Amino acid sequence: MATTCLFTHPSLSCFSSSCSSSSSSSSSSRAPLLFSSSKCYQRRTLTSQSRIGGRQKSRATSLDEAPVARDVDPGRVTSLKLNLLTAVSGLNRGLAASEEDLKRAESSAKELEAVGGVVDLTRDLDKLQGRWKLIYSSAFSSRTLGGSRPGPPVGRLPITLGQVYQRIDVLSKDFDNIVELQFGTPWPIPPAEATATLAHKFEVIGTSNIKITFEKTTVKPTGSFSQLPPLDVPRLPDGLRPPSNTGSGEFEVTYLDSDMRVTRGDRGELRVFVIS
């Protein structure tokens, strides 16, 4: 089974999940810290500066020269996260998005990314751990499973796309895209349901980019046919795959905390996940 663009470039969490903001670990934007005019407080501040000064190229010698500490406003982050969730709600993960919906989601995501700051996966890799549910993908607005690269048209296949998840294990470097599918069947046969797991390995490129490499697809029948054994479809040898299907993809994590992740694919796709 050839991997579609949707899965080799994932960016695939639920509205019922908590939208609470995480702490400021994922941010580089900080609010000014006001210093007291008390002489005692000044001495303590300067003493603390001196202790860490040995690890800096230069150290502050007065309050005027002291670096300004900045911190994220948790309330602001929470508000922007809610704005983004509101912008993408009711869009069927992007399949029902209009041009206005796309612009609204893009604008809300950019505001959150700006306040959240640059993601550093070399420091916060553990935040990727877990099972994430896709709640929005701008690529779905093209009405094909291939996103901005033409793929199978959604409306012309007897397949209903269910929930989409990403399961990430930062220790084993496993990166699985899990897709629930329902296949149309002639009456009175009940619809056939299955879960397709597209297994990948991942590596961090730089500080915020992730490269995934496809390994195999496992299709497990569910519902009325759950007694059937799973079917493993290994990756095609390089010589048999079309040039457009390299078996790998890359995307950037642009916002990350304990319950929300925003990513942008190598084709510009915006995807939003919440922890499941």
Side-chain angles (χ1 to χ4, degrees), residues 19 57 88 104 116 168 180 186 192 198 242 268:
C19 294
K57 292 183 179 180
V88 302
R104 189 179 303 111
I168 304 174
E180 297 175 354
L198 293 95

Side-chain angles (χ1 to χ4, degrees), residues 39 59 94 108 123 129 195 237 252 257:
K39 293 182 179 179
R59 61 184 181 184
S108 298
R123 178 192 62 200
Q129 180 74 29
T195 298
E252 181 183 8
D257 64 22

Side-chain angles (χ1 to χ4, degrees), residues 34-54:
L34 300 180
F35 292 95
S36 167
S37 59
S38 164
K39 293 182 179 179
C40 180
Y41 189 86
Q42 291 178 17
R43 286 196 297 270
R44 287 198 299 269
T45 302
L46 291 176
T47 300
S48 174
Q49 297 262 354
S50 298
R51 284 199 298 269
I52 66 173

Side-chain angles (χ1 to χ4, degrees), residues 145-161:
L145 296 182
S148 58
R149 293 176 186 167
V154 176
R156 299 180 186 178
L157 294 178
I159 300 175
T160 300
L161 181 66

Side-chain angles (χ1 to χ4, degrees), residues 42-246:
Q42 291 178 17
R43 286 196 297 270
R44 287 198 299 269
T45 302
L46 291 176
T47 300
S48 174
Q49 297 262 354
S50 298
R51 284 199 298 269
I52 66 173
R55 299 195 298 271
Q56 301 173 337
K57 292 183 179 180
S58 62
R59 61 184 181 184
T61 57
S62 69
L63 288 178
D64 291 337
E65 299 173 6
V68 178
R70 299 178 65 83
D71 215 341
V72 171
D73 179 358
R76 176 65 172 159
V77 172
T78 299
S79 176
L80 292 176
K81 289 170 66 175
L82 289 174
N83 286 347
L84 178 55
L85 289 174
T86 300
V88 302
S89 65
L91 300 181
N92 191 17
R93 288 151 297 170
L95 289 167
S98 65
E99 286 298 322
E100 285 301 314
D101 294 326
L102 292 173
K103 292 177 181 178
R104 189 179 303 111
E106 178 70 18
S107 176
S108 298
K110 284 184 175 179
E111 285 188 274
L112 179 60
E113 290 165 338
V115 171
V118 178
V119 174
D120 186 354
L121 295 178
T122 62
R123 178 192 62 200
D124 295 327
L125 184 63
D126 60 310
K127 290 183 178 179
L128 287 177
Q129 180 74 29
R131 181 182 172 99
W132 298 84
K133 182 178 179 180
L134 175 72
I135 60 173
Y136 174 77
S137 171
S138 63
F140 284 170
S141 66
S142 65
R143 308 301 191 272
T144 80
L145 296 182
S148 58
R149 293 176 186 167
V154 176
R156 299 180 186 178
L157 294 178
I159 300 175
T160 300
L161 181 66
Q163 300 299 334
V164 182
Y165 300 91
Q166 282 184 347
R167 184 174 56 206
I168 304 174
D169 189 319
V170 299
L171 295 179
S172 64
K173 297 296 189 277
D174 288 330
F175 193 110
D176 298 335
N177 289 316
I178 303 169
V179 185
E180 297 175 354
L181 301 170
Q182 187 178 81
F183 303 88
T185 54
W187 187 87
I189 301 174
E193 299 175 340
T195 298
T197 300
L198 293 95
H200 300 76
K201 288 293 184 180
F202 82 91
E203 60 178 313
V204 176
I205 308 296
T207 58
S208 60
N209 283 54
I210 291 179
K211 179 180 180 180
I212 59 170
T213 302
F214 174 71
E215 293 192 322
K216 68 175 182 178
T217 297
T218 300
V219 179
K220 175 67 175 72
T222 58
S224 303
F225 300 93
S226 59
Q227 72 277 10
L228 296 177
L231 172 66
D232 283 344
V233 182
R235 174 181 173 178
L236 289 174
D238 292 347
L240 298 180
R241 286 185 289 109
S244 60
N245 183 5
T246 62

